[in-house]
Amino acid sequence: MTVPSTPGGVLPSEVVAALAQAAAMQATPEVLYDLIRRQTERLVDAEAFYLALWDPQTEIIHFVAHHDRGELEGAFDHPLSDGPTSWVIRNERSLRFDADRPLPTASRGSVFGSPERSVSGAHVPVKFGDRLVGVLSAQSYRAGRFPDEAVQVLEALAAHAGVALEAGRLARAAQADREAAGAELAAMGELRAQLDRRLRELDALRRTAHELAGTADAQATMRYVAEEGMRLFEATHAGVVLIDVAHRTVRHAVAINLSPEYTSAMDAAFFGLRYAELLLGGEVVTVPNARERVIPGLTEHILAAGFVSVIALPLTFGEEVIGVLAFGHDRPRSWEPEEIALARAFADQAALAIGKARLLDTVTRAKTEWQVVFDAAPSGLAIVDAAGNVARGNRALARLTNVPLAGLNGRALASLFPEWPWGAEDPLPQARSGITVSRLMPVSAGRVLVITLAPESDGRVVAVLDDVTREQEALEALRRSEGRFRALVAAAPVAILTLDRDGTVNAVNAAATSLLGVSPGGAMVPLAELLVPGERAHVEAHLAAAFAGETRECLARLRRPDGAVREAHLVAVPLEERGGVRTVLALARDVTDEQALREQVAHAEKMVALGQLVSGVAHEINNPLAGITALAEALAVDEHDEGTERILDTIRREAGRAARIVQGLLLFSRQRPLERRDVDLNALVREVVAVAPPGEVSWILDLAPSLPSVGADPDQVIQVVRNLVRNGTQAMAGRPAPVGRIRTWVESDVVCCEILDQGSGIAPDVLGRIFEPFFTTKAAGEGTGLGLSISHGIVRAHGGEIRAQNRPEGGARFWFELPHATPSRPR
Ligand code: ADP
């Protein structure tokens, strides 16, 4: 800095030295004021003094201080005015006033607030170079105190003051600059620290993200997150808790500096905590001082764990909160929003990695399980690629194909088998087109495989192979056994039927079709049609019980489509199926002949007993009857009056009738052996018809020309023919021009004779009784009821049969058969 020249030599050297020193020491305006005032008082006779600084920027005059008759007044500011200080500032020249030299300004000002005005004085500009920096003024209450010399001294002092003021100002400005620079530096340091921290945090985040992106192990990931977070937040405790919201379970997967007692207590209490809801809602929870709260059951564990403050961060994966990441500090700690935001960013990264790792874990486990199942499956499995080669095969496939496991991959599927037998019918392309195909495939040593090819994606096919040799053998055996069973059923002498709930009967075997009288093709018959009306109710009741699960048996009379009635013994067995009994199996035996035989035996026994009785009675009656007849004959020889003659005639007639009855009875009960001869049945028929009363009935004979003779007692056989002809004649009595018909024919080993009439037939309710002795429907005197029973006895004695039937066109049909070849054939 160049020191401006001072007005020449007006100042003593010690004053100059003091001012120079002040300048060198960069004194403040206040210090300088004091120095200049003291020097002024030494050199000038003044009672008042002031120093003002001019700031051209603000146009404010700063009065540093002033003295007035020994009184010091403090600083004040004042704007430019029309006073003497402002005049000096405006004109930059000194202004002197005295009693005879008034001020050129409008006001003298009341610069120092004194009511008394100074009389003489000077105001001089303080300049540094050309620049005005202030105004210095000294004044006196007396006139004539400021001659030119005094003004020069003041100007010299002002010159030095200007330098010193500027030096001080510059020095202070420099200082202020230095200080400002220092503050800036300090601020920069803080920024730098923040930047460092942010960089560290970013680095931790970056490293975490990087580390986590590569990790596939959920447990390791969680551990890494906990440890890295502890470093980042300088935490002393950390935990990762996994939450299964669906099952409301919680598990500490990672616990650092946390005892098992704490973690298990926390896991158990979690869902009951107030914070749980916030965390599950995705909010961060901070507890600056955990010791200020009491959580029943947890507080003691928290105290034992040793952490004081906690931050708990939800781990959100997708939409779901999968866990909580928590850091603890062993001192109270509050969290700034920025820190929380950082912690949240960190937790989000971690959640992403944990979620991903958990997903990967699940997928990996599923894949491993799939591989284990695939490899260990009992069926041969192969994944066949689009080229038809095995991409992966299992051990069972290796076993089935006799190819080592290692050799399976890459081989064409068809090449694994000695022959792939389908040629153009190859199932592989079919499966590739989207259809699942199953085929039987005979392989070596009589073995049979079943191969199933199921389409997969991208032209791949899954092949499943099973060795079904044993099943095939079993199937074959089953087929054979079923065949035998079928043959057995078909040939069984017992009719086998099935009955359905809808009331249809199905004939299963030949015996059944013959029993029902249906053709084998149309074997389904409604049950209702099959049963004789009177039988329906009780048979249906038995069948209902069978449908309810009971085995029942009963007798049933069946009417066949041809009208014939057969009696059957039924055993109805329920066939249990899934969902109950839907079908009843019935075993039926035709017992018609058996029944007839039983009836015949009973009849024969009855006949024998009756014969004995009748024979005894007849013999007893015969003798008195012979006496009555003889006596009546004897009396008839004599002459009698007309009345007596009539009585005798009646006696003779009735006795004759009684004798005939007795003869009939004896005939019926006769037990004498048959006197067999070769008998021509046709001749017997002609003989009977020849003696029949003429004109009553025309008998048409249809006699087989070469009828073999039968070994029979002709007297008895003619009796049979006579009885049947008589009955036919009686049945047609009263009809106009009645015609009867007699036919003979031969049938294997029997000779048959049939007598047909045009009468009214036999009433159904008596049809079963007409062969009983003394059964008659005729009026007393017309019939004895013995004709048919005697005939029956005779025919049976010859080993033959006699039957009666109503003719569909009306009238009755009687026929009997006698054995012709071997008379003694047992029947
Ligand atoms: P009777 O002729 O004395 O009655 P039968 O033993 O010969 O005794 O016959 C028994 C019954 O059989 C007869 O009463 C009659 O009801 C019935 N009957 C026999 N033959 C015929 C026939 N041709 N047509 C109708 N009913 C007959």
Side-chain angles (χ1 to χ4, degrees):
M1 172 196 316
T2 51
V3 177
S5 59
T6 56
V10 291
L11 294 179
S13 59
E14 67 272 15
V15 172
V16 173
L19 288 168
Q21 194 181 7
M25 287 174 66
Q26 303 152 1
T28 61
E30 289 73 23
V31 170
L32 208 59
Y33 167 83
D34 217 42
L35 181 67
I36 295 169
R37 182 187 57 82
R38 273 189 277 112
Q39 300 307 326
T40 306
E41 282 175 356
R42 272 181 65 194
L43 300 173
V44 181
D45 187 9
E47 279 122 8
F49 176 82
Y50 73 82
L51 172 65
L53 300 181
W54 167 244
D55 184 350
Q57 232 86 70
T58 60
E59 296 197 334
I60 293 289
I61 308 161
H62 176 68
F63 289 88
V64 178
H66 75 265
H67 266 80
D68 192 5
R69 286 167 292 190
E71 292 292 315
L72 175 68
E73 297 289 332
F76 68 93
D77 290 344
H78 202 282
L80 272 181
S81 65
D82 51 1
T85 312
S86 300
W87 188 94
V88 174
I89 290 168
R90 285 195 190 95
N91 298 291
E92 297 193 7
R93 355 192 218 113
S94 298
L95 176 67
R96 185 157 63 95
F97 69 93
D98 213 328
D100 55 353
R101 193 185 175 117
L103 282 168
T105 58
S107 94
R108 281 197 60 207
S110 175
V111 179
F112 308 120
S114 163
E116 201 182 343
R117 295 189 183 281
S118 55
V119 179
S120 63
H123 306 274
V124 296
V126 178
K127 295 174 86 173
F128 179 73
D130 292 337
R131 188 156 52 88
L132 179 84
V133 297
V135 176
L136 184 71
S137 174
Q139 296 163 41
S140 172
Y141 291 94
R142 284 167 288 168
R145 294 293 169 171
F146 286 87
D148 288 344
E149 297 78 34
V151 175
Q152 281 172 6
V153 167
L154 279 179
E155 284 176 345
L157 282 171
H160 282 286
V163 172
L165 277 172
E166 190 60 16
R169 194 189 64 80
L170 282 176
R172 273 190 304 283
Q175 177 65 27
D177 280 356
R178 257 201 310 284
E179 278 170 12
E184 222 163 85
L185 266 181
M188 275 175 72
E190 175 59 21
L191 267 180
R192 177 75 192 266
Q194 274 184 20
L195 202 62
D196 280 353
R197 198 168 62 242
R198 192 46 59 86
L199 279 175
R200 263 205 320 280
E201 292 165 356
L202 282 176
D203 191 45
L205 271 181
R206 184 190 56 73
R207 265 183 302 125
T208 310
H210 181 73
E211 181 69 23
L212 298 185
T215 175
D217 171 358
Q219 186 59 40
T221 303
M222 291 186 280
R223 176 109 212 148
Y224 179 87
V225 164
E227 286 172 350
E228 191 64 23
M230 278 178 84
R231 259 198 296 286
L232 183 58
F233 301 116
E234 293 166 346
T236 50
H237 298 69
V240 178
V241 173
L242 295 181
I243 302 174
D244 184 341
V245 177
H247 298 99
R248 288 183 79 78
T249 55
V250 170
R251 178 174 69 83
H252 260 84
V254 174
I256 301 175
N257 292 340
L258 296 169
S259 65
E261 289 77 24
Y262 167 81
T263 54
S264 56
M266 186 65 182
D267 290 350
F270 180 81
F271 275 105
L273 292 180
R274 214 151 39 86
Y275 301 128
E277 206 172 316
L278 294 172
L279 287 165
L280 291 174
E283 285 182 40
V284 176
V285 170
T286 58
V287 181
N289 191 344
R291 294 186 177 177
E292 288 174 354
R293 282 165 219 275
V294 175
I295 305 171
L298 269 186
T299 297
E300 56 178 292
H301 296 294
I302 291 173
L303 291 176
F307 62 85
V308 176
S309 66
V310 181
I311 182 166
L313 303 148
L315 294 172
T316 311
F317 186 65
E319 296 287 291
E320 195 193 352
V321 174
I322 59 167
V324 171
L325 173 63
F327 296 109
H329 289 81
D330 54 5
R331 61 199 147 78
R333 185 196 202 287
S334 52
W335 289 77
E336 297 299 320
E338 279 173 21
E339 287 181 303
I340 293 177
L342 171 71
R344 204 184 234 300
F346 184 77
D348 286 348
Q349 286 281 358
L352 210 62
I354 293 170
K356 194 187 80 176
R358 279 176 74 185
L359 271 184
L360 213 64
D361 264 7
T362 313
V363 171
T364 311
R365 208 170 33 249
K367 190 179 164 203
T368 315
E369 284 166 5
W370 178 84
Q371 278 170 353
V372 168
V373 170
F374 184 89
D375 289 341
S379 299
L381 296 176
I383 294 174
V384 183
D385 65 18
N389 298 326
V390 174
R392 187 187 173 99
N394 71 349
R395 275 194 286 281
L397 182 68
R399 225 173 21 249
L400 285 174
T401 54
N402 280 330
V403 175
L405 186 59
L408 284 175
N409 293 359
R411 275 188 67 165
L413 179 69
S415 78
L416 294 174
F417 306 96
E419 56 173 327
W420 185 256
W422 297 291
E425 290 290 294
D426 193 336
L428 201 52
Q430 292 182 34
R432 245 183 246 132
S433 73
I435 311 163
T436 299
V437 200
S438 267
R439 295 276 175 84
L440 278 176
M441 174 162 59
V443 288
S444 55
R447 285 187 315 132
V448 180
L449 303 184
V450 63
I451 180 166
T452 302
L453 297 170
E456 236 269 296
S457 54
D458 302 333
R460 279 179 308 174
V461 166
V462 176
V464 183
L465 283 118
D466 285 296
D467 188 338
V468 291
T469 313
R470 288 173 64 179
E471 285 86 340
Q472 285 295 309
E473 284 169 1
L475 210 65
E476 193 46 45
L478 193 69
R479 242 180 246 135
R480 273 200 303 275
S481 129
E482 207 175 79
R484 279 199 292 268
F485 176 72
R486 272 181 201 288
L488 190 72
V489 167
V494 176
I496 300 175
L497 313 161
T498 56
L499 293 131
D500 290 338
R501 270 205 190 278
D502 63 2
T504 49
V505 180
N506 187 21
V508 173
N509 63 354
T513 50
S514 92
L515 174 68
L516 304 186
V518 293
S519 57
M524 301 272 281
V525 194
L527 179 70
E529 274 181 28
L530 202 63
L531 293 170
V532 168
E535 302 274 297
R536 263 181 218 161
H538 95 270
V539 174
E540 280 172 358
H542 282 290
L543 291 178
F547 276 112
E550 285 179 41
T551 297
R552 285 294 184 98
E553 50 183 298
C554 64
L555 281 176
R557 281 198 295 152
L558 310 176
R559 192 206 301 275
R560 305 204 295 202
D562 63 1
V565 173
R566 305 295 293 174
E567 182 135 30
H569 176 251
L570 286 180
V571 178
V573 183
L575 282 188
E576 298 277 349
E577 289 172 28
R578 249 181 306 164
V581 179
R582 293 218 193 82
T583 309
V584 162
L585 181 76
L587 305 177
R589 202 158 52 82
D590 188 342
V591 293
T592 318
D593 294 342
E594 232 172 78
Q595 284 292 88
L597 201 62
R598 200 173 290 126
E599 278 166 23
Q600 282 168 12
V601 169
H603 182 75
E605 284 168 357
K606 209 157 69 185
M607 288 302 109
V608 168
L610 200 67
Q612 285 168 348
L613 175 73
V614 162
S615 155
V617 171
H619 280 295
E620 288 304 317
I621 293 174
N622 215 16
N623 291 337
L625 197 61
I628 293 168
T629 309
L631 284 174
E633 289 296 336
L635 282 175
V637 176
D638 300 331
E639 285 278 319
H640 298 290
D641 58 47
E642 207 173 318
T644 311
E645 278 290 330
R646 249 199 328 273
I647 292 168
L648 281 173
D649 264 359
T650 305
I651 291 172
R652 274 201 318 237
R653 204 171 56 245
E654 291 302 314
R657 205 160 80 85
R660 278 200 306 280
I661 291 173
V662 168
Q663 281 305 310
L665 288 175
L666 285 171
L667 202 62
F668 165 74
S669 63
R670 175 161 43 206
Q671 289 169 356
R672 71 172 173 84
L674 297 175
E675 291 172 12
R676 286 188 190 264
R677 274 184 278 148
D678 277 350
V679 172
D680 178 1
L681 190 59
N682 285 350
L684 290 186
V685 170
R686 280 192 206 97
E687 197 180 323
V688 170
V689 171
V691 297
E696 275 184 34
V697 174
S698 319
W699 288 99
I700 297 172
L701 301 187
D702 179 7
L703 306 178
S706 51
L707 197 67
S709 57
V710 289
D713 186 329
D715 289 344
Q716 294 192 25
V717 174
I718 200 166
Q719 188 110 19
V720 173
V721 179
R722 204 176 279 140
N723 279 339
L724 296 178
V725 167
R726 190 179 62 234
N727 279 346
T729 305
Q730 282 178 341
M732 291 187 282
R735 298 200 176 241
V739 178
R741 181 182 287 270
I742 302 176
R743 189 163 73 95
T744 59
W745 71 98
V746 65
E747 210 171 274
S748 67
D749 58 351
V750 290
V751 168
C752 304
C753 177
E754 169 188 75
I755 290 95
L756 306 172
D757 64 52
Q758 294 176 327
S760 50
I762 310 157
D765 55 328
V766 305
L767 191 59
R769 302 188 58 197
I770 54 173
F771 291 100
E772 286 179 13
F774 304 113
F775 178 83
T776 179
T777 58
K778 293 171 189 166
E782 275 189 43
T784 60
L786 283 172
L788 284 181
S789 68
I790 290 168
S791 303
H792 185 264
I794 292 169
V795 172
R796 295 298 303 237
H798 280 83
E801 287 286 353
I802 181 165
R803 299 272 170 80
Q805 221 179 33
N806 280 316
R807 301 172 65 196
E809 61 269 39
R813 171 183 183 240
F814 283 81
W815 82 102
F816 65 90
E817 56 187 43
L818 295 169
H820 64 84
T822 46
S824 58
R825 180 176 66 113
R827 297 279 290 185

